Amino acid sequence: MGLDMRPMGKPIPGFEKRFVEIYERVSQNKIPQPSFFQKLKGKKLPTREDLMQEWLANQIPTYETIRAPRVGRDKEANDWIKNKYNELKEKTSSLEEFLKDYEGYYVIELAKEPDGVPVYSSLGQDENVFRGQFLQDCTDILGEDLVNEAWETKFAEDALDYGQRLRTVADKIAQENNLEYLREQIEPPGTDENSLESKLHIVYSLARWLIFYGKNGHGYEADY
């Protein structure tokens, strides 16, 4: 399957501590269970579903941070979805029904913050999910420890720190090899995937993605 790095929503003000607490409880399967006496008294504790509902209801989605237009709210998103409907060869529903089905959909490809939408995206996932597996090809220039960190879910502060450390290493390699231009280049270089240029571009791209989300209060979930 490989590694996907999925940006998390960020907690609304005042929910920061609870945000981390719920995530750790659910991810570590530490859902509180009622004691014998609590059961006798009929006391109910929140279930996994209750905790997840609370967690999701008190966060700002990454789609808002990357400023992705939304169907039903933004004209450009509405125009985009109408074009998608017009391009359909077989229309099984009316335009009105089609628009209703996509009400609230965020159009990531129209996002105003490109640093949050990686060129090394993951097939079958949202376009702002970074395909972390690409980093495996960069072990020879980063070292195993720095690469393996990508497999650890990180909250915003640690994601930002990781991105900055990756960029520092990339800058040193770039300066030694006259490849500084790769730092700001969005599209992959047209070189062999095993070349230094390709590997360095992957590192820079991930660093940019991590720094963007970390600075804006988002961590990421390592999914593998």
Side-chain angles (χ1 to χ4, degrees):
M1 179 181 175
L3 171 67
D4 288 331
M5 301 167 75
R6 183 175 294 105
M8 290 182 185
K10 67 177 176 180
I12 61 174
F15 193 72
E16 294 86 354
K17 185 177 179 180
R18 180 66 173 161
F19 180 87
V20 174
E21 177 187 322
I22 291 177
Y23 182 85
E24 291 181 343
R25 279 189 179 183
V26 171
S27 63
Q28 297 172 17
N29 199 28
K30 293 181 178 179
I31 310 301
Q33 300 296 324
S35 68
F36 175 75
F37 292 106
Q38 286 175 324
K39 287 180 180 179
L40 285 179
K41 294 179 180 179
K43 183 174 182 179
K44 293 184 178 180
L45 295 179
T47 63
R48 173 186 292 270
E49 290 70 27
D50 293 335
L51 289 172
M52 284 305 300
Q53 187 173 4
E54 180 186 356
W55 192 69
L56 292 169
N58 289 280
Q59 61 179 262
I60 299 168
T62 59
Y63 314 118
E64 290 291 334
T65 301
I66 61 176
R67 297 197 293 150
R70 196 176 191 186
V71 174
R73 182 187 69 185
D74 303 302
K75 181 180 182 302
E76 56 189 318
N78 292 338
D79 291 342
W80 180 89
I81 200 65
K82 287 175 184 177
N83 287 335
K84 291 295 182 184
Y85 178 81
N86 293 332
E87 291 170 1
L88 291 175
K89 292 182 179 179
E90 295 184 11
K91 296 177 174 60
T92 58
S93 62
S94 67
L95 175 59
E96 289 72 21
E97 292 171 329
F98 189 76
L99 292 176
K100 187 176 181 180
D101 287 341
Y102 280 90
E103 180 81 22
Y105 178 79
Y106 287 94
V107 186
I108 298 177
E109 64 185 78
L110 299 180
K112 307 295 193 303
E113 299 288 351
D115 285 353
V117 185
V119 66
Y120 299 101
S121 57
S122 186
L123 189 64
Q125 303 284 347
D126 284 347
E127 292 95 329
N128 65 336
V129 174
F130 197 101
R131 180 60 171 167
Q133 194 64 30
F134 282 110
L135 202 63
Q136 199 75 7
D137 298 330
C138 307
T139 305
D140 59 332
I141 66 172
L142 292 177
E144 288 188 4
D145 290 346
L146 205 52
V147 168
N148 289 342
E149 269 201 57
W151 271 254
E152 302 170 5
T153 292
K154 297 182 186 299
F155 294 108
E157 185 177 342
D158 289 335
L160 175 59
D161 175 68
Y162 185 36
Q164 290 171 333
R165 284 185 287 117
L166 285 173
R167 177 170 284 179
T168 296
V169 173
D171 281 343
K172 184 174 185 297
I173 297 171
Q175 290 165 6
E176 292 171 349
N177 294 275
N178 296 318
L179 297 173
E180 291 95 335
Y181 70 92
L182 290 172
R183 177 170 177 155
E184 305 303 329
Q185 182 170 311
I186 301 299
E187 293 301 317
T191 55
D192 181 88
E193 61 182 17
N194 291 317
S195 68
L196 178 59
E197 290 89 337
S198 290
K199 295 175 182 180
L200 195 56
H201 189 265
I202 291 170
V203 178
Y204 268 134
S205 296
L206 178 55
R208 184 186 304 115
W209 182 87
L210 287 164
I211 290 169
F212 171 81
Y213 281 111
K215 278 186 174 179
N216 284 285
H218 297 272
Y220 74 87
E221 182 177 8
D223 182 15
Y224 52 92

